[in-house]
Amino acid sequence: MALRPVQVNIKALDGSAVDRFWAEALGWSVFRPGVTTYVAPAGELVWPHPDDVCLDIVPVPEPKSATKNRVHLDLATRSAAHQAELVARLQALGATPAQVGQGDVPWTVLADPEGNEFCVLEPREVYRDTGPIAAVVVDCEDPPAMARFWGRATDWTVREVTHEQATLRSARGVGPYLEFLRTPGGKTVPDRVHLGLLPYPGDDRAAEVARLRALGATDLDVGQGDVPWTCLADPEGHEFCVLAPS
């Protein structure tokens, strides 16, 4: 039994603006199958996507706080010229430079139209085959502990664990990485960006949720009401959802 990360949920005050931005940023398409909007590779709608971790834009009534998100996306580039072109194109789409204490670094930190921070990375060989999203990055206090929890919670493989960083990726070697970076300070506000996990066909979702609780996840009430998914938090309080097949 295990769960697979299938989407990144982004809460948005103006969902149509945010989904358009991210579709253009990634070169993907916008699908509107229901209340939320799905941003995924072009072509026929496929959920879950077999290779990519896609985006689910969730409308909410409140804007993002001034606090930096503890979960963000890193975008991959192929060359220095591609990085410069992508940064310029994203700013033309409505992204703005963001200061998160990064100092003098080779990547560029931007924010989407609602202030969600993300990075456009310089070319790195490790991300050559990830697609447009190089990594889903989580700020945390204890990367090794996060690797233990998420390595058991999902079917992704732990690739690297150090005091400062832990990295996981699909065992099939496709799609983005999941990275945990040691960051001072704990979580103080609800996550604006979080992961959605899905059981495999035939697996029991309730049993999976019980297994996650035994690993250290806790139940979370974000006002979701009676919904077919389950909201949980990992041992450091990062929200995530266990989705129902649909």
Side-chain angles (χ1 to χ4, degrees):
M1 294 174 63
L3 295 158
R4 46 188 166 151
V6 297
Q7 64 190 39
V8 174
N9 291 65
I10 301 177
K11 297 177 182 177
L13 187 65
D14 184 347
S16 61
V18 173
D19 64 40
R20 284 196 304 270
F21 172 83
W22 282 106
E24 291 285 347
L26 302 174
W28 286 359
S29 295
V30 173
F31 302 91
R32 294 187 173 89
V35 175
T36 66
T37 303
Y38 191 55
V39 179
E44 186 177 351
L45 172 61
V46 177
W47 187 91
H49 195 276
D51 298 328
D52 289 295
V53 174
C54 300
L55 307 184
D56 194 51
I57 312 302
V58 182
V60 294
E62 63 279 341
K64 180 185 179 295
S65 73
T67 303
K68 174 183 177 289
N69 287 339
R70 289 184 69 79
V71 181
H72 72 268
L73 301 180
D74 279 355
L75 305 189
T77 61
R78 300 181 300 274
S79 65
H82 180 217
Q83 182 187 15
E85 180 276 329
L86 181 57
V87 168
R89 184 166 63 83
L90 293 170
Q91 289 181 305
L93 291 171
T96 53
Q99 285 295 327
V100 294
Q102 68 267 29
D104 184 16
V105 292
W107 59 88
T108 301
V109 184
L110 299 173
D112 76 8
E114 291 203 356
N116 298 298
E117 302 87 359
F118 65 97
C119 298
V120 180
L121 301 179
E122 76 284 4
R124 300 185 193 181
E125 179 65 17
V126 67
Y127 301 132
R128 70 188 183 283
D129 60 354
T130 60
I133 301 176
V136 180
V137 183
V138 183
D139 294 344
C140 67
E141 296 181 285
D142 190 341
M146 289 292 95
R148 287 192 296 272
F149 173 82
W150 284 93
R152 294 167 183 164
T154 71
D155 65 344
W156 282 22
T157 301
V158 177
R159 297 292 188 94
E160 176 189 6
V161 179
T162 68
H163 179 73
E164 297 298 323
Q165 177 175 334
T167 303
L168 294 82
R169 197 185 187 196
S170 165
R172 297 191 298 116
V174 296
Y177 288 78
L178 176 60
E179 298 179 353
F180 298 92
L181 300 183
R182 185 177 296 276
T183 306
K187 183 173 177 293
T188 58
V189 299
D191 288 326
R192 196 77 175 173
V193 181
H194 68 268
L195 280 169
L197 312 181
L198 185 69
Y200 279 90
D203 284 351
D204 185 274
R205 190 174 66 87
E208 282 293 297
V209 170
R211 186 177 66 84
L212 292 171
R213 293 183 182 121
L215 291 174
T218 53
D219 291 296
L220 186 67
D221 184 356
V222 292
Q224 67 269 24
D226 184 15
V227 292
W229 60 87
T230 302
C231 297
L232 299 170
D234 73 13
E236 287 200 13
H238 302 102
E239 294 99 335
F240 65 95
C241 295
V242 180
L243 306 170
S246 66

